[in-house]
Amino acid sequence: MGAKSLCLGALVLLLLRAAAAGELRSCEDARKVFRLRQLGPLRGFPQTPRAGVDLQVCSSKNPTCCTKKMEERYQAAAKQDIQQVLQTSSAMLKFLISRNAAAFQETFEMLIKLAENYTSTLFCNTHRNMAVEAATHVQEFFTDIGLFIFGTDISTEDFVNRFFDTLFPVVYSHMINPGLRDVSLEYAECLRMATRDIRPFGNVPKIVARQMGRSLLPSRTFLQALNLGIEVINTTDHLHFSKDCSRALLRMQYCPHCQGLTLSKPCMGYCLNVVRGCLANMAEVDLHWQGYIQSLEELSSAMHGTYDIEHVLLNFHSLVNDALVQAHINGPELSEQVNKICGPPVRKPTQSPGCSFDQNKDNQGLKMFSRDSEETLANRRKEFIGHLRLYRAFYGGLADQLCANELAAADGLPCWNGEDVVRSYTHRVVGSGIKAQSGNPEVKVKGTDPVISQIIDKLKHIIQLQELHAAFKI
């Protein structure tokens, strides 16, 4: 079997060399490929080989089927080919992150809505007389939660305190001083300002602020990290290739066509040198990409336990109820403190409006989303991280993957070395990354791409955020 393979390889080598050694009679094969690939009009495409004195990259001592104009079209095609291969290679990774980013965002939106409904239901069922006035404050609070999770720069402590501060005038006029209605705006403001001093809700605001901070921040960073992952892939999918890289890709992919060698593929070592040179900047992302995936794993772990977002949001209404009970128990003492600070209010007794919150209507679409979703969300995170781990070395091994799976000739077969069809590539094969390219015989790499530097800085930022969360146990 081995002898037959050697004979077949030798025969292919002889045939390819015969085509490259001057026996090329027609350019028909090259014309067919040019037409099939839709690289441009055939007008000006040689019917027979000609001298290629005007060629800049695909020059040859032998007659050629290429013109300068065709060489330009081949160079554009070579760049398009490599970008298409890059996008194909990253398509599953991009889909994995994009799908989960959308799914987690939708889940967080549903959690916020459900938690808001639980809180509104608490007021309607247990404290109906103050439900209408409390509704605005409840809505504003959960709007702030959504804004925070989805990236707005606001403080969790501030919006928690604002909720309880604005809730106290409502509680005071309905629970501590029942029947008291229509207090002046000035008096309501005095009550709001006094909340921090008289602490009508005990330690509940501090407990809520701590829980919100420790549960919402990892979720916010997790979503930011997923969106950054999509940005990284979009950036590397549309990488700008240098002039030297473009010429090297042309020489590797299409210069053989000029000699009628439309079926030849580059040698593995030659392909690695060209693609590692072209993707040298992308390889610099590798270390930070691995750190990014590790950070996502740790963020996912931080979203479990006492401070997971599901537990905190879906139990918020219980803490609100605790706060209301505490205010009711300490009513006489609170009333006395308020009178000292704000003076006695003017009484204008009126009938309290009924609760306008329609539990059945507002819970439509949320019936399937219950506390059982906590386990579903945890499982989804675990499954996502498990799939993402498979792409930990994606950027470090991308050049090798492209050559092995898409571009290079199989081992043992004759291959193109940039000049001729040979049995094997004899130049030294360099490693991955910018530093390794100093000895690359095929591509000159000048320095770091500023666009790549920017996404590396963003990856570092996400990693640092996760480390801060871990350090402060937030």
Side-chain angles (χ1 to χ4, degrees):
M1 189 71 176
K4 286 183 179 179
S5 297
L6 286 174
C7 289
L8 180 61
L11 178 60
V12 173
L13 181 61
L14 286 172
L15 290 172
L16 290 172
R17 277 187 168 167
E23 286 83 353
L24 185 61
R25 299 273 190 269
S26 169
C27 295
E28 186 58 30
D29 287 345
R31 285 173 62 88
K32 285 180 180 178
V33 174
F34 194 86
R35 184 174 63 251
L36 287 171
R37 291 292 315 277
Q38 298 181 337
L39 301 181
L42 287 175
R43 185 178 64 257
F45 198 115
Q47 296 281 352
T48 57
R50 55 181 285 279
V53 292
D54 58 340
L55 301 182
Q56 295 183 346
V57 179
C58 299
S59 57
S60 172
K61 297 176 182 177
N62 301 319
T64 176
C65 287
C66 284
T67 64
K68 185 178 180 181
K69 188 68 175 176
M70 288 171 56
E71 192 179 49
E72 292 173 359
R73 293 188 182 278
Y74 277 141
Q75 182 160 326
K79 288 173 65 175
Q80 186 177 7
D81 288 349
I82 194 70
Q83 285 186 329
Q84 194 168 40
V85 170
L86 283 173
Q87 290 169 21
T88 300
S89 298
S90 65
M92 289 303 296
L93 172 60
K94 184 176 178 179
F95 176 71
L96 173 68
I97 298 177
S98 300
R99 180 188 62 184
N100 279 278
F104 284 120
Q105 178 164 329
E106 182 182 3
T107 300
F108 291 150
E109 288 171 351
M110 294 290 282
L111 270 173
I112 293 168
K113 184 62 177 174
L114 187 59
E116 181 180 346
N117 286 0
Y118 281 176
T119 309
S120 297
T121 300
L122 166 71
F123 280 102
C124 281
N125 290 348
T126 312
H127 309 283
R128 193 176 185 85
N129 61 333
M130 68 176 83
V132 172
E133 290 183 62
T136 299
H137 308 307
V138 171
Q139 185 178 22
E140 287 176 352
F141 176 73
F142 284 100
T143 297
D144 285 338
I145 288 178
L147 289 172
F148 179 84
I149 289 179
F150 301 126
T152 302
D153 189 18
I154 55 178
S155 163
T156 53
E157 185 175 5
D158 284 351
F159 68 70
V160 168
N161 285 332
R162 183 163 59 249
F163 170 73
F164 285 105
D165 289 351
T166 55
L167 185 62
F168 179 54
V170 179
V171 172
Y172 182 79
S173 61
H174 289 282
M175 184 177 284
I176 297 172
N177 248 316
L180 180 66
R181 295 283 296 158
D182 296 334
V183 297
S184 66
L185 291 176
E186 291 80 5
Y187 195 81
E189 179 64 14
C190 182
L191 290 172
R192 189 185 70 79
M193 295 294 291
T195 305
R196 308 283 178 90
D197 294 327
I198 64 179
R199 299 177 67 239
F201 305 119
N203 287 326
V204 172
K206 286 187 177 180
I207 294 171
V208 172
R210 183 172 65 249
Q211 287 188 355
M212 289 293 169
R214 293 190 179 184
S215 67
L216 300 185
L217 195 51
S219 300
R220 167 193 172 113
T221 307
F222 189 77
L223 277 182
Q224 288 176 336
L226 294 185
N227 289 323
L228 174 59
I230 299 168
E231 181 183 347
V232 170
I233 297 166
N234 283 336
T235 301
T236 55
D237 273 356
H238 299 90
L239 193 66
H240 172 73
F241 295 108
S242 68
K243 183 178 179 181
D244 200 68
C245 165
S246 298
R247 291 165 68 93
L249 289 170
L250 165 62
R251 185 180 296 110
M252 181 179 81
Q253 292 290 84
Y254 287 102
C255 283
H257 293 215
C258 297
Q259 299 182 32
L261 304 173
T262 56
L263 298 179
S264 69
K265 282 192 167 188
C267 303
M268 177 60 75
Y270 174 47
C271 180
L272 288 173
N273 275 343
V274 171
V275 181
R276 284 176 178 174
C278 288
L279 303 188
N281 277 283
M282 198 182 295
E284 295 297 311
V285 176
D286 178 53
L287 180 65
H288 309 287
W289 180 257
Q290 293 190 43
Y292 161 80
I293 293 180
Q294 179 65 32
S295 294
L296 276 174
E297 290 186 46
E298 293 174 7
L299 280 169
S300 180
S301 298
M303 293 162 73
H304 291 288
T306 306
Y307 294 108
D308 71 338
I309 188 171
E310 303 95 331
H311 175 80
V312 170
L313 289 182
L314 298 183
N315 285 278
F316 171 72
H317 69 287
S318 297
L319 287 174
V320 172
N321 190 58
D322 291 344
L324 297 177
V325 169
Q326 188 156 342
H328 181 66
I329 292 173
N330 297 326
E333 181 184 344
L334 292 173
S335 186
E336 185 178 338
Q337 288 179 285
V338 166
N339 286 337
K340 288 180 181 178
I341 298 172
C342 300
V346 178
R347 288 180 173 275
K348 294 182 180 179
T350 59
Q351 185 177 359
S352 298
C355 178
S356 61
F357 175 67
D358 186 342
Q359 298 175 47
N360 293 326
K361 178 183 176 182
D362 287 347
N363 279 319
Q364 283 179 0
L366 297 172
K367 291 179 181 178
M368 299 299 293
F369 194 93
S370 64
R371 290 177 185 271
D372 293 337
S373 66
E374 296 182 29
E375 187 61 30
T376 303
L377 186 56
N379 286 340
R380 178 177 289 170
R381 284 196 302 261
K382 183 178 180 181
E383 182 182 357
F384 166 64
I385 295 297
H387 287 307
L388 193 61
R389 284 195 194 103
L390 301 176
Y391 295 93
R392 189 186 295 272
F394 176 74
Y395 284 105
L398 188 55
D400 300 51
Q401 177 190 333
L402 296 185
C403 286
N405 297 343
E406 301 284 344
L407 303 175
D411 289 342
L413 291 180
C415 54
W416 174 255
N417 70 352
E419 296 178 355
D420 198 359
V421 176
V422 296
R423 285 188 179 276
S424 62
Y425 183 69
T426 56
H427 292 297
R428 182 171 74 91
V429 179
V430 300
S432 298
I434 291 177
K435 290 182 179 179
Q437 303 312 307
S438 59
N440 193 323
E442 309 298 343
V443 185
K444 292 180 182 179
V445 180
K446 294 182 179 179
T448 306
D449 185 336
V451 175
I452 295 295
S453 296
Q454 286 179 359
I455 62 170
I456 286 175
D457 287 342
K458 290 181 180 181
L459 288 170
K460 286 180 178 178
H461 177 66
I462 284 292
I463 293 167
Q464 289 169 353
L465 282 181
Q466 187 281 319
E467 289 172 348
L468 283 173
H469 299 341
F472 292 101
K473 295 182 179 180
I474 294 178

